[in-house]
Amino acid sequence: METKERCGWCKNDALYEKYHDEEWGVPVYEDQKLFEFLILETFQAGLSWITILRKRENFREAFDQFDYKIVAQYNEDKIQELLENPGIIRNKLKVRAAVSNAQAFMLVQQEFGSFSEYIWGFTGGGPIINTHKTLKDIPATTPLSDQISKDLKKRGFKFVGSTVVYAHMQATGMVDDHIENCWKRN
């Protein structure tokens, strides 16, 4: 049996390992996928990522496959339906934020041509490759995540504090934080 050395945060859980191996730190440029991670990261605020991963398919179904054009049109009936859905995180502020974030997402698209152009503009269009030796070396926030968070909030996004933004940057490959001995680093 082959064993790969992975970043320590994902060890001993098959779902976490699959996410680490196939998604975390891989650059994402498609608006639909960027929106998906934005929604998931905002719901993760204050919770563990594995909780969100385990509910990811429920979120996908509940939020119309993360189609931001549909989510932006959610009315009060749909919001109430989401708040009664035991398969997702039923936080009223986060559910409402998903709707307003979809609306803000589309305004960013109008201004920049795509959300991808906007968000990747902060890194010059490519990933920032970090060289952390251990998990303890990986920050929760950076000056860049502070800057992006501030700009997103100015544009009307909610639940996009610097920690959430940095997690989004890691998830979408804007930063590569795989530690030195992780097989993904090599």
Side-chain angles (χ1 to χ4, degrees):
M1 183 172 119
E2 176 193 358
T3 56
K4 296 177 179 175
E5 187 63 37
R6 293 180 173 90
C7 299
W9 58 265
C10 70
K11 291 182 178 178
N12 302 317
D13 185 291
L15 183 61
Y16 241 179
E17 289 177 357
K18 180 176 172 33
Y19 171 72
H20 170 274
D21 292 355
E22 297 176 8
E23 293 186 87
W24 194 69
V26 176
V28 173
Y29 293 95
E30 302 83 23
D31 274 9
Q32 189 79 28
K33 196 72 168 171
L34 288 166
F35 181 72
E36 174 179 346
F37 277 113
L38 182 67
I39 292 295
L40 294 175
E41 293 294 350
T42 58
F43 272 92
Q44 189 248 332
L47 303 169
S48 69
W49 183 243
I50 192 64
T51 299
I52 301 303
L53 275 184
R54 289 187 178 128
K55 294 178 176 281
R56 188 179 193 177
E57 291 308 314
N58 297 336
F59 274 102
R60 185 172 279 125
E61 186 178 321
F63 284 91
D64 291 286
Q65 310 303 308
F66 300 110
D67 185 330
Y68 50 85
K69 293 174 189 159
I70 295 173
V71 175
Q73 301 299 317
Y74 283 178
N75 61 22
E76 193 59 34
D77 288 342
K78 177 63 176 182
I79 290 169
Q80 290 307 313
E81 176 188 315
L82 290 168
L83 291 172
E84 294 170 15
N85 184 336
I88 66 168
I89 306 301
R90 296 179 289 179
N91 177 301
K92 183 177 12 175
L93 295 175
K94 291 178 180 181
V95 168
R96 291 186 184 284
V99 178
S100 64
N101 285 352
Q103 295 163 353
F105 189 91
M106 292 186 352
L107 291 174
V108 167
Q109 287 178 317
Q110 288 173 12
E111 183 177 345
F112 291 87
S114 71
F115 187 81
S116 182
E117 284 293 319
Y118 161 74
I119 201 76
W120 280 96
F122 287 98
T123 66
I128 296 167
I129 311 296
N130 290 320
T131 54
H132 303 300
K133 291 190 183 301
T134 69
L135 286 178
K136 289 183 287 196
D137 299 330
I138 300 174
T141 65
T142 63
L144 181 57
S145 68
D146 294 344
Q147 178 189 352
I148 296 170
S149 170
K150 185 177 179 181
D151 197 70
L152 286 168
K153 288 176 183 177
K154 183 181 83 182
R155 295 173 183 283
F157 287 84
K158 295 177 175 45
F159 284 93
V160 289
S162 190
T163 303
V164 167
V165 168
Y166 195 70
H168 186 264
M169 292 169 70
Q170 291 171 313
T172 61
M174 291 177 68
V175 293
D176 182 342
D177 273 345
H178 289 284
I179 60 171
E180 190 175 75
N181 65 345
C182 176
W183 76 272
K184 291 287 284 191
R185 167 68 62 210
N186 303 316

